[in-house]
mmCIF file of all heavy atoms in Angstrom:
data_model
loop_
_atom_site.group_PDB
_atom_site.id
_atom_site.type_symbol
_atom_site.label_atom_id
_atom_site.label_comp_id
_atom_site.label_asym_id
_atom_site.label_seq_id
_atom_site.Cartn_x
_atom_site.Cartn_y
_atom_site.Cartn_z
ATOM 1 N N GLY A 16 32.531 11.748 -72.277
ATOM 2 C CA GLY A 16 32.264 10.911 -71.133
ATOM 3 C C GLY A 16 33.496 10.215 -70.641
ATOM 4 O O GLY A 16 34.566 10.373 -71.188
ATOM 5 N N PRO A 17 33.332 9.417 -69.584
ATOM 6 C CA PRO A 17 34.504 8.659 -69.085
ATOM 7 C C PRO A 17 35.014 7.680 -70.078
ATOM 8 O O PRO A 17 34.255 7.213 -70.925
ATOM 9 C CB PRO A 17 33.839 7.916 -67.880
ATOM 10 C CG PRO A 17 32.556 8.571 -67.509
ATOM 11 C CD PRO A 17 32.116 9.234 -68.899
ATOM 12 N N PRO A 18 36.253 7.420 -70.055
ATOM 13 C CA PRO A 18 36.801 6.436 -71.104
ATOM 14 C C PRO A 18 36.108 5.119 -70.942
ATOM 15 O O PRO A 18 35.750 4.701 -69.831
ATOM 16 C CB PRO A 18 38.293 6.283 -70.616
ATOM 17 C CG PRO A 18 38.513 7.596 -69.854
ATOM 18 C CD PRO A 18 37.329 7.991 -69.260
ATOM 19 N N ARG A 19 35.792 4.552 -72.092
ATOM 20 C CA ARG A 19 35.110 3.212 -72.092
ATOM 21 C C ARG A 19 35.915 2.111 -71.485
ATOM 22 O O ARG A 19 35.371 1.142 -71.008
ATOM 23 C CB ARG A 19 34.785 2.866 -73.541
ATOM 24 C CG ARG A 19 33.790 3.781 -74.267
ATOM 25 C CD ARG A 19 33.519 3.224 -75.640
ATOM 26 N NE ARG A 19 32.549 4.094 -76.295
ATOM 27 C CZ ARG A 19 31.257 3.824 -76.235
ATOM 28 N NH1 ARG A 19 30.811 2.783 -75.529
ATOM 29 N NH2 ARG A 19 30.347 4.627 -76.877
ATOM 30 N N GLY A 20 37.243 2.355 -71.282
ATOM 31 C CA GLY A 20 38.096 1.300 -70.760
ATOM 32 C C GLY A 20 37.949 1.154 -69.256
ATOM 33 O O GLY A 20 38.395 0.133 -68.741
ATOM 34 N N ILE A 21 37.417 2.202 -68.535
ATOM 35 C CA ILE A 21 37.343 2.089 -67.113
ATOM 36 C C ILE A 21 36.183 1.145 -66.681
ATOM 37 O O ILE A 21 35.195 0.975 -67.449
ATOM 38 C CB ILE A 21 37.203 3.477 -66.429
ATOM 39 C CG1 ILE A 21 35.878 4.082 -66.789
ATOM 40 C CG2 ILE A 21 38.338 4.347 -66.808
ATOM 41 C CD1 ILE A 21 35.609 5.397 -66.109
ATOM 42 N N SER A 22 36.257 0.673 -65.424
ATOM 43 C CA SER A 22 35.256 -0.263 -64.966
ATOM 44 C C SER A 22 33.941 0.471 -64.606
ATOM 45 O O SER A 22 33.925 1.684 -64.571
ATOM 46 C CB SER A 22 35.757 -0.944 -63.774
ATOM 47 O OG SER A 22 35.939 0.034 -62.654
ATOM 48 N N LYS A 23 32.880 -0.272 -64.472
ATOM 49 C CA LYS A 23 31.636 0.195 -64.166
ATOM 50 C C LYS A 23 31.632 0.935 -62.871
ATOM 51 O O LYS A 23 30.955 1.995 -62.602
ATOM 52 C CB LYS A 23 30.605 -0.934 -64.134
ATOM 53 C CG LYS A 23 29.165 -0.508 -63.873
ATOM 54 C CD LYS A 23 28.234 -1.663 -63.911
ATOM 55 C CE LYS A 23 26.742 -1.237 -63.617
ATOM 56 N NZ LYS A 23 25.846 -2.372 -63.674
ATOM 57 N N LYS A 24 32.382 0.399 -61.856
ATOM 58 C CA LYS A 24 32.489 1.049 -60.554
ATOM 59 C C LYS A 24 33.173 2.384 -60.635
ATOM 60 O O LYS A 24 32.711 3.348 -60.009
ATOM 61 C CB LYS A 24 33.325 0.048 -59.650
ATOM 62 C CG LYS A 24 33.421 0.608 -58.170
ATOM 63 C CD LYS A 24 34.202 -0.382 -57.299
ATOM 64 C CE LYS A 24 34.293 0.115 -55.922
ATOM 65 N NZ LYS A 24 35.000 -0.851 -55.036
ATOM 66 N N LEU A 25 34.263 2.522 -61.447
ATOM 67 C CA LEU A 25 34.884 3.763 -61.569
ATOM 68 C C LEU A 25 34.006 4.786 -62.309
ATOM 69 O O LEU A 25 34.000 6.004 -61.967
ATOM 70 C CB LEU A 25 36.209 3.588 -62.378
ATOM 71 C CG LEU A 25 37.298 2.843 -61.627
ATOM 72 C CD1 LEU A 25 38.598 2.712 -62.502
ATOM 73 C CD2 LEU A 25 37.693 3.557 -60.313
ATOM 74 N N ARG A 26 33.265 4.316 -63.280
ATOM 75 C CA ARG A 26 32.326 5.184 -63.914
ATOM 76 C C ARG A 26 31.290 5.700 -62.960
ATOM 77 O O ARG A 26 30.867 6.919 -62.987
ATOM 78 C CB ARG A 26 31.615 4.496 -65.145
ATOM 79 C CG ARG A 26 32.498 4.400 -66.408
ATOM 80 C CD ARG A 26 31.665 4.132 -67.618
ATOM 81 N NE ARG A 26 30.988 2.867 -67.560
ATOM 82 C CZ ARG A 26 31.517 1.699 -67.980
ATOM 83 N NH1 ARG A 26 32.706 1.740 -68.523
ATOM 84 N NH2 ARG A 26 30.785 0.598 -67.912
ATOM 85 N N SER A 27 30.882 4.887 -62.052
ATOM 86 C CA SER A 27 29.910 5.290 -61.007
ATOM 87 C C SER A 27 30.460 6.339 -60.127
ATOM 88 O O SER A 27 29.814 7.357 -59.758
ATOM 89 C CB SER A 27 29.450 4.037 -60.225
ATOM 90 O OG SER A 27 28.607 4.411 -59.164
ATOM 91 N N LEU A 28 31.744 6.184 -59.790
ATOM 92 C CA LEU A 28 32.419 7.185 -58.932
ATOM 93 C C LEU A 28 32.536 8.523 -59.672
ATOM 94 O O LEU A 28 32.347 9.605 -59.066
ATOM 95 C CB LEU A 28 33.865 6.729 -58.522
ATOM 96 C CG LEU A 28 33.928 5.495 -57.551
ATOM 97 C CD1 LEU A 28 35.376 5.012 -57.371
ATOM 98 C CD2 LEU A 28 33.354 5.982 -56.190
ATOM 99 N N VAL A 29 32.806 8.434 -61.007
ATOM 100 C CA VAL A 29 32.878 9.695 -61.814
ATOM 101 C C VAL A 29 31.510 10.392 -61.805
ATOM 102 O O VAL A 29 31.422 11.672 -61.630
ATOM 103 C CB VAL A 29 33.355 9.357 -63.174
ATOM 104 C CG1 VAL A 29 33.220 10.597 -64.083
ATOM 105 C CG2 VAL A 29 34.804 8.911 -63.203
ATOM 106 N N GLN A 30 30.413 9.608 -62.014
ATOM 107 C CA GLN A 30 29.118 10.248 -62.059
ATOM 108 C C GLN A 30 28.784 10.825 -60.718
ATOM 109 O O GLN A 30 28.126 11.894 -60.605
ATOM 110 C CB GLN A 30 28.110 9.167 -62.456
ATOM 111 C CG GLN A 30 28.235 8.697 -63.954
ATOM 112 C CD GLN A 30 28.025 9.943 -64.883
ATOM 113 O OE1 GLN A 30 27.275 10.754 -64.639
ATOM 114 N NE2 GLN A 30 28.761 9.789 -65.980
ATOM 115 N N GLU A 31 29.176 10.130 -59.606
ATOM 116 C CA GLU A 31 28.890 10.580 -58.266
ATOM 117 C C GLU A 31 29.561 11.962 -58.013
ATOM 118 O O GLU A 31 29.048 12.888 -57.486
ATOM 119 C CB GLU A 31 29.319 9.559 -57.272
ATOM 120 C CG GLU A 31 29.055 10.022 -55.827
ATOM 121 C CD GLU A 31 29.455 8.930 -54.814
ATOM 122 O OE1 GLU A 31 29.804 7.822 -55.241
ATOM 123 O OE2 GLU A 31 29.376 9.241 -53.606
ATOM 124 N N GLN A 32 30.870 11.969 -58.449
ATOM 125 C CA GLN A 32 31.600 13.233 -58.350
ATOM 126 C C GLN A 32 31.017 14.361 -59.130
ATOM 127 O O GLN A 32 30.938 15.526 -58.623
ATOM 128 C CB GLN A 32 33.092 13.001 -58.733
ATOM 129 C CG GLN A 32 34.016 14.190 -58.389
ATOM 130 C CD GLN A 32 34.132 14.345 -56.862
ATOM 131 O OE1 GLN A 32 34.244 13.327 -56.170
ATOM 132 N NE2 GLN A 32 34.089 15.563 -56.364
ATOM 133 N N LYS A 33 30.518 14.075 -60.343
ATOM 134 C CA LYS A 33 29.814 15.107 -61.153
ATOM 135 C C LYS A 33 28.622 15.589 -60.493
ATOM 136 O O LYS A 33 28.352 16.758 -60.581
ATOM 137 C CB LYS A 33 29.549 14.531 -62.570
ATOM 138 C CG LYS A 33 30.804 14.319 -63.464
ATOM 139 C CD LYS A 33 30.408 13.661 -64.722
ATOM 140 C CE LYS A 33 29.488 14.615 -65.559
ATOM 141 N NZ LYS A 33 29.181 13.958 -66.885
ATOM 142 N N SER A 34 27.865 14.649 -59.891
ATOM 143 C CA SER A 34 26.660 15.045 -59.119
ATOM 144 C C SER A 34 26.995 16.012 -57.997
ATOM 145 O O SER A 34 26.246 17.007 -57.802
ATOM 146 C CB SER A 34 25.918 13.764 -58.669
ATOM 147 O OG SER A 34 24.749 14.141 -57.924
ATOM 148 N N ILE A 35 28.066 15.696 -57.241
ATOM 149 C CA ILE A 35 28.432 16.472 -56.127
ATOM 150 C C ILE A 35 28.801 17.881 -56.588
ATOM 151 O O ILE A 35 28.408 18.945 -56.040
ATOM 152 C CB ILE A 35 29.636 15.814 -55.389
ATOM 153 C CG1 ILE A 35 29.182 14.557 -54.709
ATOM 154 C CG2 ILE A 35 30.180 16.807 -54.306
ATOM 155 C CD1 ILE A 35 30.305 13.691 -54.032
ATOM 156 N N ILE A 36 29.605 17.948 -57.679
ATOM 157 C CA ILE A 36 30.019 19.265 -58.167
ATOM 158 C C ILE A 36 28.782 20.046 -58.696
ATOM 159 O O ILE A 36 28.692 21.222 -58.445
ATOM 160 C CB ILE A 36 31.032 19.012 -59.351
ATOM 161 C CG1 ILE A 36 32.338 18.512 -58.756
ATOM 162 C CG2 ILE A 36 31.278 20.401 -60.055
ATOM 163 C CD1 ILE A 36 33.356 18.174 -59.779
ATOM 164 N N SER A 37 27.872 19.400 -59.409
ATOM 165 C CA SER A 37 26.698 20.086 -59.971
ATOM 166 C C SER A 37 25.898 20.663 -58.722
ATOM 167 O O SER A 37 25.317 21.703 -58.803
ATOM 168 C CB SER A 37 25.854 19.169 -60.754
ATOM 169 O OG SER A 37 26.520 18.690 -61.921
ATOM 170 N N SER A 38 25.790 19.839 -57.696
ATOM 171 C CA SER A 38 25.016 20.312 -56.493
ATOM 172 C C SER A 38 25.667 21.537 -55.871
ATOM 173 O O SER A 38 25.032 22.469 -55.444
ATOM 174 C CB SER A 38 24.930 19.161 -55.455
ATOM 175 O OG SER A 38 24.284 19.618 -54.344
ATOM 176 N N LEU A 39 27.061 21.501 -55.837
ATOM 177 C CA LEU A 39 27.768 22.597 -55.255
ATOM 178 C C LEU A 39 27.568 23.886 -56.111
ATOM 179 O O LEU A 39 27.544 25.019 -55.586
ATOM 180 C CB LEU A 39 29.230 22.262 -55.069
ATOM 181 C CG LEU A 39 29.542 21.291 -53.948
ATOM 182 C CD1 LEU A 39 31.074 20.934 -53.987
ATOM 183 C CD2 LEU A 39 29.294 21.946 -52.566
ATOM 184 N N ILE A 40 27.608 23.606 -57.421
ATOM 185 C CA ILE A 40 27.387 24.825 -58.276
ATOM 186 C C ILE A 40 26.064 25.425 -58.055
ATOM 187 O O ILE A 40 25.908 26.689 -57.982
ATOM 188 C CB ILE A 40 27.506 24.404 -59.764
ATOM 189 C CG1 ILE A 40 28.939 24.006 -60.115
ATOM 190 C CG2 ILE A 40 26.977 25.472 -60.787
ATOM 191 C CD1 ILE A 40 29.141 23.431 -61.511
ATOM 192 N N SER A 41 25.024 24.704 -57.891
ATOM 193 C CA SER A 41 23.664 25.114 -57.625
ATOM 194 C C SER A 41 23.620 25.868 -56.243
ATOM 195 O O SER A 41 23.052 26.976 -56.141
ATOM 196 C CB SER A 41 22.660 23.983 -57.549
ATOM 197 O OG SER A 41 22.531 23.432 -58.796
ATOM 198 N N SER A 42 24.342 25.364 -55.284
ATOM 199 C CA SER A 42 24.390 26.027 -53.976
ATOM 200 C C SER A 42 25.153 27.283 -54.065
ATOM 201 O O SER A 42 24.741 28.306 -53.472
ATOM 202 C CB SER A 42 25.173 25.065 -52.924
ATOM 203 O OG SER A 42 24.465 23.858 -52.741
ATOM 204 N N CYS A 43 26.171 27.378 -54.837
ATOM 205 C CA CYS A 43 26.945 28.639 -55.038
ATOM 206 C C CYS A 43 26.027 29.657 -55.724
ATOM 207 O O CYS A 43 26.027 30.795 -55.259
ATOM 208 C CB CYS A 43 28.179 28.398 -56.016
ATOM 209 S SG CYS A 43 29.507 27.525 -55.158
ATOM 210 N N GLU A 44 25.291 29.224 -56.736
ATOM 211 C CA GLU A 44 24.376 30.130 -57.356
ATOM 212 C C GLU A 44 23.360 30.751 -56.438
ATOM 213 O O GLU A 44 22.998 31.857 -56.419
ATOM 214 C CB GLU A 44 23.765 29.507 -58.591
ATOM 215 C CG GLU A 44 24.724 29.217 -59.705
ATOM 216 C CD GLU A 44 24.009 28.371 -60.839
ATOM 217 O OE1 GLU A 44 22.961 27.924 -60.630
ATOM 218 O OE2 GLU A 44 24.652 28.391 -61.926
ATOM 219 N N GLU A 45 22.815 29.861 -55.577
ATOM 220 C CA GLU A 45 21.809 30.295 -54.563
ATOM 221 C C GLU A 45 22.395 31.310 -53.636
ATOM 222 O O GLU A 45 21.776 32.328 -53.333
ATOM 223 C CB GLU A 45 21.235 29.085 -53.856
ATOM 224 C CG GLU A 45 20.243 29.439 -52.738
ATOM 225 C CD GLU A 45 19.022 30.128 -53.283
ATOM 226 O OE1 GLU A 45 18.570 29.891 -54.462
ATOM 227 O OE2 GLU A 45 18.475 30.913 -52.526
ATOM 228 N N VAL A 46 23.496 30.976 -53.010
ATOM 229 C CA VAL A 46 24.182 31.915 -52.120
ATOM 230 C C VAL A 46 24.583 33.154 -52.769
ATOM 231 O O VAL A 46 24.462 34.287 -52.146
ATOM 232 C CB VAL A 46 25.347 31.183 -51.398
ATOM 233 C CG1 VAL A 46 26.091 32.175 -50.520
ATOM 234 C CG2 VAL A 46 24.860 30.015 -50.573
ATOM 235 N N LEU A 47 25.100 33.047 -53.967
ATOM 236 C CA LEU A 47 25.441 34.303 -54.726
ATOM 237 C C LEU A 47 24.226 35.223 -54.920
ATOM 238 O O LEU A 47 24.317 36.438 -54.811
ATOM 239 C CB LEU A 47 26.069 34.002 -56.044
ATOM 240 C CG LEU A 47 27.504 33.417 -56.054
ATOM 241 C CD1 LEU A 47 27.964 32.977 -57.390
ATOM 242 C CD2 LEU A 47 28.483 34.513 -55.531
ATOM 243 N N SER A 48 23.120 34.566 -55.151
ATOM 244 C CA SER A 48 21.877 35.313 -55.277
ATOM 245 C C SER A 48 21.469 36.007 -53.965
ATOM 246 O O SER A 48 21.048 37.136 -53.929
ATOM 247 C CB SER A 48 20.715 34.365 -55.777
ATOM 248 O OG SER A 48 19.436 35.035 -55.780
ATOM 249 N N GLN A 49 21.612 35.212 -52.838
ATOM 250 C CA GLN A 49 21.345 35.784 -51.547
ATOM 251 C C GLN A 49 22.233 36.922 -51.267
ATOM 252 O O GLN A 49 21.858 37.986 -50.718
ATOM 253 C CB GLN A 49 21.454 34.702 -50.474
ATOM 254 C CG GLN A 49 20.457 33.605 -50.562
ATOM 255 C CD GLN A 49 20.648 32.592 -49.546
ATOM 256 O OE1 GLN A 49 21.208 32.770 -48.499
ATOM 257 N NE2 GLN A 49 20.185 31.329 -49.763
ATOM 258 N N LEU A 50 23.577 36.777 -51.523
ATOM 259 C CA LEU A 50 24.487 37.850 -51.293
ATOM 260 C C LEU A 50 24.182 39.090 -52.077
ATOM 261 O O LEU A 50 24.306 40.134 -51.591
ATOM 262 C CB LEU A 50 25.929 37.332 -51.642
ATOM 263 C CG LEU A 50 26.539 36.314 -50.692
ATOM 264 C CD1 LEU A 50 27.869 35.866 -51.293
ATOM 265 C CD2 LEU A 50 26.757 36.866 -49.292
ATOM 266 N N GLY A 51 23.737 38.904 -53.397
ATOM 267 C CA GLY A 51 23.389 40.087 -54.184
ATOM 268 C C GLY A 51 22.171 40.770 -53.633
ATOM 269 O O GLY A 51 22.120 42.008 -53.562
ATOM 270 N N GLU A 52 21.225 39.999 -53.118
ATOM 271 C CA GLU A 52 20.033 40.641 -52.482
ATOM 272 C C GLU A 52 20.396 41.353 -51.174
ATOM 273 O O GLU A 52 19.917 42.450 -50.908
ATOM 274 C CB GLU A 52 18.971 39.488 -52.195
ATOM 275 C CG GLU A 52 17.618 40.051 -51.695
ATOM 276 C CD GLU A 52 16.606 38.956 -51.534
ATOM 277 O OE1 GLU A 52 16.919 37.788 -51.811
ATOM 278 O OE2 GLU A 52 15.543 39.181 -51.158
ATOM 279 N N TYR A 53 21.278 40.678 -50.401
ATOM 280 C CA TYR A 53 21.745 41.350 -49.110
ATOM 281 C C TYR A 53 22.493 42.595 -49.385
ATOM 282 O O TYR A 53 22.376 43.609 -48.687
ATOM 283 C CB TYR A 53 22.599 40.319 -48.334
ATOM 284 C CG TYR A 53 23.048 40.874 -47.026
ATOM 285 C CD1 TYR A 53 22.219 41.524 -46.179
ATOM 286 C CD2 TYR A 53 24.395 40.588 -46.568
ATOM 287 C CE1 TYR A 53 22.683 41.917 -44.903
ATOM 288 C CE2 TYR A 53 24.821 41.023 -45.374
ATOM 289 C CZ TYR A 53 23.950 41.715 -44.562
ATOM 290 O OH TYR A 53 24.390 42.170 -43.289
ATOM 291 N N ARG A 54 23.328 42.602 -50.517
ATOM 292 C CA ARG A 54 24.032 43.807 -50.872
ATOM 293 C C ARG A 54 23.125 44.940 -51.258
ATOM 294 O O ARG A 54 23.441 46.121 -50.899
ATOM 295 C CB ARG A 54 25.030 43.487 -52.011
ATOM 296 C CG ARG A 54 25.968 44.626 -52.281
ATOM 297 C CD ARG A 54 26.842 44.297 -53.468
ATOM 298 N NE ARG A 54 27.791 45.392 -53.673
ATOM 299 C CZ ARG A 54 28.514 45.617 -54.759
ATOM 300 N NH1 ARG A 54 28.420 44.785 -55.836
ATOM 301 N NH2 ARG A 54 29.361 46.623 -54.893
ATOM 302 N N GLY A 55 22.075 44.563 -51.901
ATOM 303 C CA GLY A 55 21.044 45.604 -52.215
ATOM 304 C C GLY A 55 20.464 46.192 -50.979
ATOM 305 O O GLY A 55 20.242 47.434 -50.892
ATOM 306 N N GLN A 56 20.223 45.329 -50.002
ATOM 307 C CA GLN A 56 19.655 45.848 -48.724
ATOM 308 C C GLN A 56 20.692 46.759 -47.980
ATOM 309 O O GLN A 56 20.311 47.798 -47.435
ATOM 310 C CB GLN A 56 19.305 44.644 -47.802
ATOM 311 C CG GLN A 56 18.791 45.067 -46.451
ATOM 312 C CD GLN A 56 17.466 45.794 -46.547
ATOM 313 O OE1 GLN A 56 16.366 45.248 -46.765
ATOM 314 N NE2 GLN A 56 17.478 47.167 -46.330
ATOM 315 N N LEU A 57 21.947 46.323 -47.980
ATOM 316 C CA LEU A 57 22.976 47.198 -47.451
ATOM 317 C C LEU A 57 23.061 48.526 -48.105
ATOM 318 O O LEU A 57 23.240 49.591 -47.420
ATOM 319 C CB LEU A 57 24.327 46.462 -47.532
ATOM 320 C CG LEU A 57 24.562 45.139 -46.729
ATOM 321 C CD1 LEU A 57 25.872 44.515 -46.992
ATOM 322 C CD2 LEU A 57 24.379 45.469 -45.241
ATOM 323 N N GLY A 58 22.899 48.531 -49.420
ATOM 324 C CA GLY A 58 22.910 49.794 -50.205
ATOM 325 C C GLY A 58 21.750 50.709 -49.700
ATOM 326 O O GLY A 58 21.956 51.967 -49.640
ATOM 327 N N ASP A 59 20.570 50.091 -49.506
ATOM 328 C CA ASP A 59 19.465 50.857 -49.045
ATOM 329 C C ASP A 59 19.713 51.504 -47.701
ATOM 330 O O ASP A 59 19.380 52.596 -47.510
ATOM 331 C CB ASP A 59 18.179 49.966 -48.998
ATOM 332 C CG ASP A 59 17.690 49.574 -50.386
ATOM 333 O OD1 ASP A 59 18.110 50.190 -51.401
ATOM 334 O OD2 ASP A 59 16.978 48.573 -50.520
ATOM 335 N N TRP A 60 20.252 50.713 -46.836
ATOM 336 C CA TRP A 60 20.626 51.164 -45.464
ATOM 337 C C TRP A 60 21.613 52.286 -45.568
ATOM 338 O O TRP A 60 21.537 53.244 -44.784
ATOM 339 C CB TRP A 60 21.061 50.017 -44.553
ATOM 340 C CG TRP A 60 19.969 49.111 -44.132
ATOM 341 C CD1 TRP A 60 18.657 49.394 -44.049
ATOM 342 C CD2 TRP A 60 20.158 47.763 -43.699
ATOM 343 N NE1 TRP A 60 18.000 48.359 -43.644
ATOM 344 C CE2 TRP A 60 18.867 47.273 -43.346
ATOM 345 C CE3 TRP A 60 21.242 46.923 -43.587
ATOM 346 C CZ2 TRP A 60 18.609 46.019 -42.862
ATOM 347 C CZ3 TRP A 60 20.963 45.552 -43.014
ATOM 348 C CH2 TRP A 60 19.704 45.190 -42.712
ATOM 349 N N LYS A 61 22.670 52.186 -46.441
ATOM 350 C CA LYS A 61 23.618 53.222 -46.503
ATOM 351 C C LYS A 61 22.944 54.516 -46.957
ATOM 352 O O LYS A 61 23.283 55.614 -46.517
ATOM 353 C CB LYS A 61 24.720 52.783 -47.479
ATOM 354 C CG LYS A 61 25.647 51.778 -46.967
ATOM 355 C CD LYS A 61 26.931 51.588 -47.830
ATOM 356 C CE LYS A 61 26.583 50.919 -49.046
ATOM 357 N NZ LYS A 61 27.845 50.676 -49.858
ATOM 358 N N THR A 62 22.009 54.446 -47.914
ATOM 359 C CA THR A 62 21.252 55.625 -48.381
ATOM 360 C C THR A 62 20.533 56.238 -47.179
ATOM 361 O O THR A 62 20.509 57.470 -46.999
ATOM 362 C CB THR A 62 20.290 55.199 -49.473
ATOM 363 O OG1 THR A 62 21.042 54.688 -50.622
ATOM 364 C CG2 THR A 62 19.516 56.449 -49.907
#
């Protein structure tokens, strides 16, 4: 976790940044899933 020596406000900023990153990771996974599905469709069309 964040160092105990930082202030409550800084800890809040750290948590907020972690939340943003986690949200972006979820968005990446969703779009990667969509890209995989789209690639499968492209493969079907090529066939």
Side-chain angles (χ1 to χ4, degrees):
R19 292 180 178 270
I21 66 175
S22 65
K23 183 177 180 181
K24 183 177 181 179
L25 291 178
R26 281 200 297 271
S27 177
L28 290 175
V29 171
Q30 292 300 325
E31 182 179 352
Q32 190 64 43
K33 289 177 63 178
S34 178
I35 293 173
I36 292 175
S37 297
S38 178
L39 285 174
I40 290 174
S41 297
S42 297
C43 287
E44 291 176 345
E45 176 60 29
V46 173
L47 286 171
S48 175
Q49 294 179 24
L50 290 173
E52 187 174 0
Y53 183 42
R54 189 183 182 196
Q56 179 64 75
L57 294 175
D59 292 341
W60 284 339
K61 286 192 289 185
T62 298

